[in-house]
């Protein structure tokens, strides 16, 4: 994707006066959450964090916010049997998230959108989001962007699978040079993998799995061979549109119901 660098919304590409002006105009920060873990022979280890960064940037354009440097790593012990994986403990990850976003709250950021593309981060992000709301007074919405992608594109792409078409499209929309569709090999059996993936995504019963090989012995499954840059860019736009629309409404509802930051500061007795 070609991006107009003059209009960057990545926090670390902006200057201090630009950040200050942004917080004065619309104090929205977006934290991309993902991971660095093996994604088979055809996708980069940073697939999940590339996905959340590039979607976050388009959402930031739509909602007038900035994308924080949240760090590439996440919580992914399940993928540790493979060399291409680096995991943080849940405690470390929570602290990184709280201290990163909490720093911006001190400078005036009020709205926090946590945009996540890695299922292993979900419990830690829920705890961090609570802390950022209750202790730092931020109005917080978390979106599981990988599930938004599955809702919009799952039917067409064989569902959300580890290393499959949806994940290939997300990287193609950002860094097509990192996608190696010519190296696709050893996909795990999809029917077995789907059965296990479904089990860990049910609302009522939640088994804990030791490692990814229970789902897919070769580390990945799906059918990414037909993914194209054009389709990736379309998916990126559609996901960002959906997230921006829903989150704009959610922040409006939260402001109305909770009175925003001032209300939580009153409740906790903190000085404004
Ligand atoms: Zn992934």
């Amino acid at each position: 994707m070609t991006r107009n660098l003059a209009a960057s919304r990545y926090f670390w590409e902006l200057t201090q006066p630009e950040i200050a002006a942004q917080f004065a105009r619309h104090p929205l920060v977006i934290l991309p959450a993902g991971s660095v873990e093996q994604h088979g022979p055809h996708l980069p280890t940073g697939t999940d964090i590339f996905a959340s960064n590039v979607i976050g940037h388009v959402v930031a354009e739509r909602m007038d916010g900035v994308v924080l440097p949240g760090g590439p790593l996440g919580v992914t012990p399940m993928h540790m049997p493979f060399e291409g994986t680096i995991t943080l403990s849940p405690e470390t990850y929570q602290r990184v998230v709280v201290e990163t976003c909490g720093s911006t709250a001190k400078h005036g950021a009020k709205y926090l959108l946590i945009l996540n593309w890695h299922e292993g981060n979900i419990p830690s992000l829920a705890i961090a989001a609570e802390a950022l709301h209750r202790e730092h007074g931020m109005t917080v919405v978390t979106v599981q962007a990988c599930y938004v992608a599955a809702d919009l594109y799952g039917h067409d792409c064989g569902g959300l699978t580890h290393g499959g078409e949806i994940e290939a499209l997300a990287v193609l929309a950002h860094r097509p040079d990192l996608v190696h569709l010519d190296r696709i090999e050893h996909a795990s059996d999809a029917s077995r993998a789907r059965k296990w993936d479904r089990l860990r995504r049910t609302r009522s019963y939640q088994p804990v799995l030791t490692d990814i090989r229970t789902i897919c012995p070769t580390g990945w499954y799906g059918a990414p061979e037909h993914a194209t840059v054009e389709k990736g860019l379309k998916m990126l736009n559609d996901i960002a549109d959906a997230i921006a629309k829903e989150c704009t409404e959610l922040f409006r509802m939260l402001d109305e119901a909770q009175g925003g930051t001032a209300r939580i500061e009153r409740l906790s007795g903190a000085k404004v």
Side-chain angles (χ1 to χ4, degrees):
M1 190 178 67
T2 50
R3 188 162 57 76
N4 179 3
L5 285 177
S8 174
R9 289 190 172 265
Y10 288 118
F11 186 97
W12 61 11
E13 292 183 359
L14 300 174
T15 63
Q16 179 270 326
E18 287 172 329
I19 302 277
Q22 172 69 46
F23 286 175
R25 188 176 69 242
H26 190 225
L28 166 68
V29 289
I30 298 174
L31 180 84
S35 71
V36 174
E37 65 193 27
Q38 67 83 23
H39 275 80
H42 56 297
L43 291 179
T45 55
T47 290
D48 292 20
I49 194 65
F50 287 137
S52 57
N53 263 288
V54 69
I55 296 167
H57 198 274
V58 182
V59 171
E61 289 170 346
R62 304 273 196 278
M63 294 180 72
D64 188 16
V66 287
V67 181
L68 298 179
L73 303 178
V75 181
T76 185
M78 237 173 68
H79 287 273
M80 279 301 282
F82 293 91
E83 291 84 350
T85 305
I86 298 171
T87 189
L88 298 180
S89 68
E91 295 76 16
T92 302
Y93 185 58
Q94 285 164 33
R95 290 198 64 153
V96 169
V97 171
V98 170
E99 291 176 21
T100 302
C101 301
S103 294
T104 69
K106 283 196 167 57
H107 300 309
K110 289 192 168 60
Y111 300 100
L112 168 62
L113 173 56
I114 299 175
L115 194 151
N116 181 41
W117 189 279
H118 174 63
E119 290 169 298
N121 291 342
I122 293 174
S124 301
L125 287 174
I127 293 169
E130 273 287 314
L132 285 158
H133 177 58
R134 296 192 190 284
E135 291 157 32
H136 296 265
M138 302 186 93
T139 301
V140 186
V141 173
T142 302
V143 56
Q144 310 301 344
C146 47
Y147 293 158
V148 176
D151 289 345
L152 295 177
Y153 276 77
H155 183 70
D156 190 44
C157 296
L160 176 67
T161 78
H162 186 72
E165 183 173 1
I166 285 181
E167 294 214 299
L169 289 172
V171 185
L172 282 168
H174 176 57
R175 288 286 305 274
D177 56 309
L178 300 180
V179 177
H180 312 286
L181 297 180
D182 57 321
R183 297 187 200 163
I184 292 173
E185 62 176 356
H186 305 308
S188 292
D189 174 58
S191 59
R192 166 202 166 127
R194 275 205 187 84
K195 187 188 85 182
W196 279 105
D197 249 354
R198 246 199 317 273
L199 265 181
R200 70 189 185 123
R201 290 174 186 161
T202 72
R203 197 168 60 168
S204 305
Y205 300 96
Q206 299 168 336
V208 176
L209 301 186
T210 312
D211 87 57
I212 187 69
R213 291 173 297 185
T214 306
I215 298 171
C216 39
T218 62
W220 77 280
Y221 78 105
E225 56 269 21
H226 301 302
T228 63
V229 172
E230 192 189 9
K231 191 172 178 184
L233 289 170
K234 184 174 174 344
M235 184 183 86
L236 167 65
N237 262 294
D238 289 346
I239 294 171
D241 275 347
I243 291 175
K245 185 163 177 275
E246 189 70 24
C247 291
T248 299
E249 174 61 9
L250 282 171
F251 280 125
R252 190 195 64 72
M253 286 171 64
L254 288 173
D255 267 355
E256 205 176 274
Q258 303 181 160
T261 305
R263 168 80 174 148
I264 193 77
E265 282 173 350
R266 273 202 304 282
L267 281 175
S268 63
K271 286 200 170 64
V272 180

